[in-house]
Structures are given as structure tokens and as C-alpha cells.
Amino acid sequence: MVDYIVTNTDGGANLRDAPDAGAIKRNLPFGSALASIPGSTGNWKSVETDKGEKGFVSDKNLTIPASDAVVRLVQSAAQYWEAFAFGKGKEDTSPYYDIVVQMWKELGKGMPPFKTDKKGKVLKDKNGNDIYNTSHPDWPWSAAGMSAFIRHAQGYKNFEFSTSHATYIHNSIVARKAKDPDAPFWGHQLNEEAVRVGDLVCQWRGKQQDYNSAGKSAGFTSHTDVVCDIKSEYLYAIGANVESDTVGRKKYTINSAGHLTGPSGGRFKSDNSVFMIMRNRAT
């Protein structure tokens, strides 16, 4: 049973042999799942790792997850973030290129075109394989990436994997309005719910959207990131094809009620197009 998950994306959490000034046994990376055991005191939680290690961890680095599905999604995002060298790996260089190609293959909804030289001849790698253009402007891989995050988290029944974030953004609003108990996500306006680890932050791209327009149609350009680390005035979320064409971490402003502010009250560039959240309801 998972009682806590390490959600400090800035270095994980130290497992100590005693509260406060106890000796550090080892560092628990972001995404580590922990069970609660007797002995917690104050802000120090007595825990056991999945390897049977016991010790104390400061609760400032921990979150009580809403479900095991949330744990799996955060761990999936963490694994992809690490695989992309924590935001330093580029989509068109090895080995990150291979991960992007695998995302497209797993999605099964087409592949980006091949790279060609000035004469139109398809370029090949050192093994003689045709090279996909993973940077093609008409083939952004952010939704393929989020689909991969959720697919590898497993258990997200009825989630519609898609080349477009708008597909599942729209579906989450429809599910919430229908009170569908089997939907893995319900869409909410920013001022309705305090954001939680495992939720998805939704942004419009190109043409501005709002909750009502997204509920009417899935025909718009958008983006989503997984909420992974909530601080007092902001949070960190991880998404695909972000910042410098990588799996990376972004910062969003939250207010004293725990709501994402969106552009009003937002302090970061990422806030400028936030318009709703997808509440993670998977179990």
C-alpha cells in the first residue's frame, strides 16, 4: 500500500535513521512510493520503502496520493523526465530521438515523415534505418508523450489516447457533466478545485479557449502537463515536447486556496494560457 510519494522534484528526499538530525541512509528520488509505519513524530514520517528499508522522511518532501493510479502516473512522468536527462535531452538526438519514435509507434496513429536531403532523398542512420523527422512542425509529439505517460502508468480505463490534447480535455468536461464514475479524469474550471498531484494542467495554444468552448468541441490546439510537485505559491508540472523540445518541468502559479491562477495573477510565462484542470479520478 502506498501512503506517501516523494514529490520534491528538486532532489527528492533523504531517508534518515532518526528524525531531524538523524544520519542520512540514502536519498529517495522523486516518485518514490512509501508505506507509513509506526513511529512518526511531528513533521517526520516513519516510512518503509518498497525494498523494505525503514527510516524517517520530512513531510515537506512528501504527498499523500489520492490513489495508487496517481502514484503510477507521477512515477511514469518521473521516468520519462529522467530518460530525457531532466529536460536536457533533445527530441532529435540519440537516445531521446528513439524514445519519441517509440511514443509515436505505441500511439499507433501515424508516424512523422522521414528526414530528407535537399534532393528529397530519405536520410538514414548508421544502421541503415530511415530517420523520422521528430522535429517536424506538423507533428508535435506532446500529446503522444502524455499518452505515453498515461499508458505506462496503467489502469487509466476509458482514457482516449490521442495525437491531440484536446481529445481528452474535451472528454474530461463531458464526463464531469455526465457524472461518469468510470472516467479517469473530470474537467474543472480553475476556481472550482484546488489542484492536486496527478491532475493535468490544461493550456490553449494558438486560439484562446475557455471551459465552455472546450466542452463543445475537441477541435482546438492545446497542451497538458502532469502536476508533480506542489509548493506554497506555485507548482511544478512535467510534460512532453516542452521548453527546448524535451520532457521537461514547468512552473505554474497557485493562490492561497490552492487554485491555479491562470493568466490573472500568474507570475510565470506558463500561466498565460492556462484555462482549466483535469482532476485525476483513476484508482
Side-chain angles (χ1 to χ4, degrees):
M1 178 179 176
V2 176
D3 296 303
Y4 304 109
I5 184 170
V6 175
T7 49
N8 177 24
T9 55
D10 288 314
N14 289 326
L15 181 69
R16 296 178 180 270
D17 64 4
D20 198 13
I24 297 173
K25 301 177 76 171
R26 76 176 179 95
N27 179 264
L28 302 174
F30 160 59
S32 298
L34 304 170
S36 176
I37 58 176
S40 295
T41 177
N43 296 327
W44 291 88
K45 303 304 180 185
S46 179
V47 299
E48 182 175 359
T49 71
D50 57 2
K51 297 179 180 179
E53 304 159 299
K54 298 178 182 179
F56 294 85
V57 176
S58 171
D59 63 6
K60 70 179 181 180
N61 298 320
L62 303 177
T63 293
I64 299 173
S67 69
D68 283 351
V70 166
V71 175
R72 296 194 303 272
L73 180 54
V74 171
Q75 290 178 331
S76 180
Q79 288 164 3
Y80 275 105
W81 188 35
E82 181 178 6
F84 274 80
F86 302 103
K88 296 178 181 178
K90 306 298 183 181
E91 63 189 12
D92 56 357
T93 60
S94 183
Y96 318 109
Y97 160 88
D98 301 301
I99 302 173
V100 176
V101 170
Q102 185 61 29
M103 288 174 171
W104 282 116
K105 288 181 177 179
E106 289 180 354
L107 186 59
K109 296 182 182 292
M111 297 294 294
F114 294 117
K115 279 188 174 182
T116 59
D117 61 19
K118 294 181 180 180
K119 295 182 179 181
K121 183 178 179 180
V122 175
L123 300 178
K124 297 182 181 294
D125 62 21
K126 62 182 181 180
N127 296 316
N129 300 310
D130 295 340
I131 301 174
Y132 291 100
N133 186 353
T134 50
S135 299
H136 197 286
D138 295 334
W139 287 79
W141 53 277
S142 61
M146 182 57 68
S147 292
F149 289 8
I150 293 174
R151 181 182 301 105
H152 286 265
Q154 301 183 345
Y156 281 76
K157 181 182 178 183
N158 299 323
F159 183 85
E160 185 175 355
F161 300 108
S162 177
T163 59
S164 170
H165 298 276
T167 299
Y168 36 85
I169 292 175
H170 171 76
N171 289 350
S172 73
I173 298 173
V174 172
R176 188 263 181 107
K177 290 181 177 179
K179 294 182 171 60
D180 182 356
D182 297 320
F185 294 94
W186 280 11
H188 291 272
Q189 299 184 70
L190 298 182
N191 62 353
E192 291 183 311
E193 294 286 342
V195 70
R196 300 190 311 205
V197 167
D199 291 346
L200 302 190
V201 181
C202 304
Q203 298 174 288
W204 54 266
R205 290 284 185 265
K207 184 178 180 180
Q208 186 170 352
Q209 302 294 322
D210 58 27
Y211 187 81
N212 291 329
S213 64
K216 292 176 182 178
S217 168
F220 59 93
T221 307
S222 52
H223 180 80
T224 59
D225 297 314
V226 181
V227 176
C228 292
D229 184 5
I230 300 176
K231 308 296 189 183
S232 60
E233 296 181 344
Y234 62 92
L235 62 81
Y236 286 116
I238 292 175
N241 198 15
V242 300
E243 303 301 330
S244 302
D245 304 319
T246 187
V247 171
R249 185 181 71 163
K250 290 160 61 179
K251 210 171 186 178
Y252 295 92
T253 306
I254 54 176
N255 60 26
S256 59
H259 300 140
L260 284 159
T261 65
S264 63
R267 294 180 292 149
F268 311 113
K269 181 180 178 181
S270 299
D271 297 315
N272 293 342
S273 55
V274 173
F275 71 98
M276 61 170 276
I277 66 167
M278 290 169 59
R279 169 50 47 83
N280 191 328
R281 304 181 73 255
T283 58

